[in-house]
Amino acid sequence: MKQKLVSASLLSADKIFIKEDMIKVIDNGVDFIHFDVMDGNFVNNVSFNDDTFIKIRKDSKVPFEIHLMVENPFAYIDNYEYSASDIIIVHLESFVSEEDLLVCLKRIKKHHKVGISIKPNTDCSKLDPYLELLDYILIMSVEPGFGGQKFIPASLEKIRYFAKKQDKYSYLIEVDGGINQNTAKECFDAGVDIVVSGSYLFKGDPSEKVKSLK
Ligand code: DX5
Ligand code: ZN
């Protein structure tokens, strides 16, 4: 039986009391903090900057996953503020060539765990050449850019695709977007290891929310 892990997406936390919101969900058992970075180009939105990261990172006892929704990941991966236990996730769609992506993954791997994310319309098999190098695969189950969207059911097939190959590799599978009590169950049943939750998790009693997701 797989562990059921939960990652809290800070995009839906209170913008002023972000540190307090973060500590609350950690105290209630989330396993990771999910930190979305957007450049306004790769997606039509912006999110957090370095100042926010520095303000809150030291108060988290669980690893951060840094989800880079940006056109040029190379400009973001050598950030010395990131802690050694943090996971850096780049989007496959940010890269123009296979070589560039490989260089980027290897550079991240020198200091961090590494993951690749794919958008809903990207074919799973495009990740096949990189599976050996990956610690995490992040399946986007909504179009990246905004919280509060509806889960795309075809994401379950993608989870199964990577779960089937998992015994040959060492990656964990994550899903991000539209996760609530029901979609989390469907994803865990399909073989996901980690569900990322934002709007569902940060509304209401965090202890009940974390329990219901797991
Ligand atoms: C969207 C972000 C997600 C977002 C998920 O592009 O990557 O992490 O916060 O939010 P919910 O859980 O509300 O779909
Ligand atoms: Zn995200």
Side-chain angles (χ1 to χ4, degrees), residues 1-187:
M1 254 279 271
K2 281 188 167 194
Q3 256 187 303
K4 292 178 181 171
L5 303 169
V6 172
S7 182
S9 178
L10 291 182
L11 203 58
S12 292
D14 187 295
K15 294 284 169 291
I16 309 290
F17 295 104
I18 186 165
K19 194 197 281 186
E20 290 76 2
D21 264 13
M22 176 187 83
I23 292 170
K24 221 188 280 170
V25 291
I26 293 172
D27 287 346
N28 282 291
V30 303
D31 305 281
F32 302 90
I33 292 295
H34 186 90
F35 190 84
D36 288 309
V37 177
M38 306 179 185
D39 64 356
N41 294 313
F42 184 80
V43 289
N44 192 17
N45 197 4
V46 288
S47 50
F48 304 114
N49 57 23
D50 269 9
D51 290 347
T52 311
F53 187 87
I54 293 163
K55 188 177 139 205
I56 62 175
R57 178 62 187 91
K58 61 182 181 317
D59 292 299
S60 171
K61 59 183 184 210
V62 302
F64 263 45
E65 349 177 90
I66 296 136
H67 179 192
L68 294 177
M69 286 167 274
V70 298
E71 273 185 348
N72 179 16
F74 284 104
Y76 294 79
I77 59 172
D78 296 322
N79 188 331
Y80 297 114
E81 302 299 341
Y82 298 158
S83 154
S85 61
D86 291 342
I87 300 142
I88 303 187
I89 299 172
V90 295
H91 262 272
L92 179 86
E93 301 86 359
S94 297
F95 293 88
V96 284
S97 73
E98 200 167 303
E99 285 87 344
D100 271 10
L101 176 50
L102 278 170
V103 169
C104 190
L105 296 178
K106 286 179 185 160
R107 212 152 110 189
I108 294 171
K109 262 183 108 69
K110 280 191 193 154
H111 304 285
H112 301 281
K113 299 264 187 217
V114 69
I116 304 188
S117 181
I118 49 170
K119 295 209 260 184
N121 288 331
T122 300
D123 201 282
C124 300
S125 61
K126 291 217 169 134
L127 286 194
D128 287 351
Y130 313 102
L131 296 180
E132 190 79 51
L133 281 170
L134 296 180
D135 301 298
Y136 294 84
I137 292 173
L138 180 68
I139 297 165
M140 285 309 300
S141 42
V142 297
E143 279 303 328
F146 297 89
Q149 303 180 72
K150 209 167 164 288
F151 181 82
I152 298 170
S155 316
L156 296 171
E157 207 34 65
K158 290 187 172 178
I159 294 171
R160 286 187 205 105
Y161 177 88
F162 293 115
K164 250 185 242 155
K165 297 171 181 268
Q166 210 167 11
D167 54 343
K168 290 193 226 94
Y169 300 98
S170 56
Y171 57 75
L172 293 181
I173 309 164
E174 307 194 50
V175 61
D176 181 10
I179 293 298
N180 56 37
Q181 183 173 7
N182 301 327
T183 53
K185 180 171 187 318
E186 289 179 323
C187 291

